[in-house]
Amino acid sequence: MALPRTEVVPGLTDELARFRELVRSLDEGELRAPTRCAGWSVGDTAAHVAGTLADIIAGRLEGLGTPEVTQRAVDERRGRTGDELADELEQVTKVGSDILGSFDDDAWNGPGPAGVNGTLGYGVEALWYDAYLHGDDIRAAIGKPSVYGPGLRASVSHVADTLAMQEWPGQVPVGLDSRPEEMFAFVLAGTGRADPATIGLDETVNIYR
């Protein structure tokens, strides 16, 4: 289900802009609100997205995505305001957009950097998925409705491709042209955020199992 470079590159940039706006709008109480990401507040979730991008831009790829490195990035930013987190996101997005613009299709379809699974395109699409889904984690925590934006396609693609890489034996129940409600339910189930039984699947569909 991998999406093409021409969709992912501008899609990621736009998603990060929406995420920045959301984070900048948060007050102190909202930043402290607990999320469905175990042990993380809204501020921690925003810090994770900012920290991941900052590590990538700085070339700190060793251990990226592991619990230890993920928590380190969150801990480094704990206590920052929404404006401070959004400012960092804006800075790293500018640098990242320049880097993304330099990739051609050969690079996109080639292997990712050392220590990163899958192709370069898979890795970049994962960043889009991450920003979209964590944006929804924040909205859910502060009582705002979910947004079925372009990032939903990236999220379905990422979860489906990750399941394929994990050799999951099941059948993905949605496609990129399915109804948004069905796609969203699949993404929540596929990331451990909702009971997979509600869409006729079992717990093995969780990509973080």
Side-chain angles (χ1 to χ4, degrees), residues 17-167:
R18 285 188 288 272
F19 191 88
R20 286 199 309 273
E21 291 176 7
L22 174 62
V23 171
R24 202 176 290 282
S25 74
L26 299 170
D27 62 31
E28 189 174 330
E30 289 171 331
L31 285 166
R32 291 196 302 266
T35 71
R36 57 195 177 195
C37 300
W40 278 5
S41 67
V42 164
D44 293 337
T45 304
H48 160 63
V49 174
T52 297
L53 291 169
D55 280 348
I56 291 171
I57 296 304
R60 295 189 295 265
L61 303 179
E62 185 174 353
L64 192 68
T66 62
E68 295 78 15
V69 170
T70 298
Q71 192 60 50
R72 184 263 301 157
V74 170
D75 291 342
E76 288 175 348
R77 292 162 178 81
R78 184 162 285 119
R80 292 189 186 180
T81 66
D83 281 338
E84 288 170 336
L85 291 166
D87 286 345
E88 182 181 22
L89 273 166
E90 186 169 10
Q91 292 169 1
V92 297
T93 299
K94 288 178 180 177
V95 177
S97 294
D98 291 339
I99 295 172
L100 286 174
S102 69
F103 296 140
D104 59 17
D105 285 337
D106 288 339
W108 187 260
N109 296 316
V116 177
N117 291 332
T119 64
L120 177 63
Y122 170 84
V124 177
E125 185 182 83
L127 296 176
W128 187 3
Y129 145 85
D130 202 54
Y132 171 78
L133 192 55
H134 283 314
D136 191 73
D137 291 331
I138 291 173
R139 291 185 183 93
I142 62 176
K144 290 189 175 182
S146 297
V147 176
Y148 298 150
L152 182 54
R153 277 172 51 85
S155 298
V156 169
S157 175
H158 175 74
V159 173
D161 286 348
T162 301
L163 288 171
M165 290 170 66
Q166 295 174 348
E167 298 183 343

